[in-house]
Amino acid sequence: MDQILEQNKHLPGGLMVILNEVQSQIGFISEPMQQYIANKLHVPVSTVHGVVSFYSFFTTTPRGKHTIKFCMGTACYVGGTPQLIEKAKQVLGIDPGETTPDGQITLELCRCVGACSQAPVIVVDEEIQGRVRPNKFPQLLRLIQDEQKGS
């Protein structure tokens, strides 16, 4: 983290570059990390926290090996996203924003992904899955789990 700070602290917009690099290298930006960055940059921790909390791609806790994002755009929401979320909660025992205890899957909500014609949509890692029905959700989970066993 010190190397990232040293290389980027004098750049215009350096805070954003630093936060992106830290998240890329470590996977998240915890509150102690935010405090450390603020101290090193001689800025209030509220400045660092403001950036981290404003941009949805930053996270303050470790994410799972796999991420499942539920599109909350209007077409997906009306098309059944709330039912998909309920099924995921039932099967995995976690809420959006949480990670399974084994560290394998994180559930997240996201804004429109631009695949409205395929509503409801979920994004597994970076792959869009369209027309997903709650009864098909366990099959998607099995594909992720089988992939894990194969790697």
Side-chain angles (χ1 to χ4, degrees):
M1 194 157 61
D2 285 330
Q3 182 180 1
I4 294 168
L5 282 158
E6 201 52 46
Q7 289 175 343
N8 299 292
K9 68 181 179 184
H10 299 296
L11 293 176
L15 177 58
M16 190 64 132
V17 174
I18 289 165
L19 293 173
N20 273 313
E21 284 296 312
V22 168
Q23 176 138 325
S24 174
Q25 295 293 318
I26 299 171
F28 63 102
I29 307 168
S30 68
E31 289 189 21
M33 292 163 74
Q34 293 174 46
Q35 182 70 52
Y36 185 81
I37 291 167
N39 290 342
K40 288 290 189 175
L41 297 178
H42 307 291
V43 299
V45 72
S46 60
T47 300
V48 176
H49 181 72
V51 173
V52 170
S53 61
F54 180 78
Y55 292 101
S56 63
F57 50 84
F58 290 126
T59 182
T60 57
T61 57
R63 287 188 171 138
K65 182 177 178 185
H66 298 280
T67 303
I68 299 174
K69 298 176 186 171
F70 297 91
C71 180
M72 296 298 285
T74 303
C76 288
Y77 189 86
V78 170
T81 295
Q83 292 84 359
L84 285 173
I85 293 169
E86 283 306 311
K87 186 64 169 185
K89 288 166 61 172
Q90 175 189 32
V91 172
L92 294 172
I94 60 170
D95 288 315
E98 296 179 344
T99 301
T100 55
D102 64 3
Q104 291 300 310
I105 298 174
T106 297
L107 298 181
E108 296 181 349
L109 305 178
C110 65
R111 295 198 169 105
C112 181
V113 297
C116 304
S117 65
Q118 298 179 50
V121 169
I122 62 172
V123 182
V124 179
D125 297 325
E126 297 303 317
E127 187 177 319
I128 292 175
Q129 303 283 328
R131 296 186 184 92
V132 180
R133 297 289 169 238
N135 64 336
K136 298 293 182 187
F137 189 79
Q139 289 175 307
L140 285 169
L141 286 178
R142 275 195 292 283
L143 289 174
I144 293 171
Q145 291 162 339
D146 288 346
E147 176 188 302
Q148 287 171 241
K149 290 174 190 167
S151 22

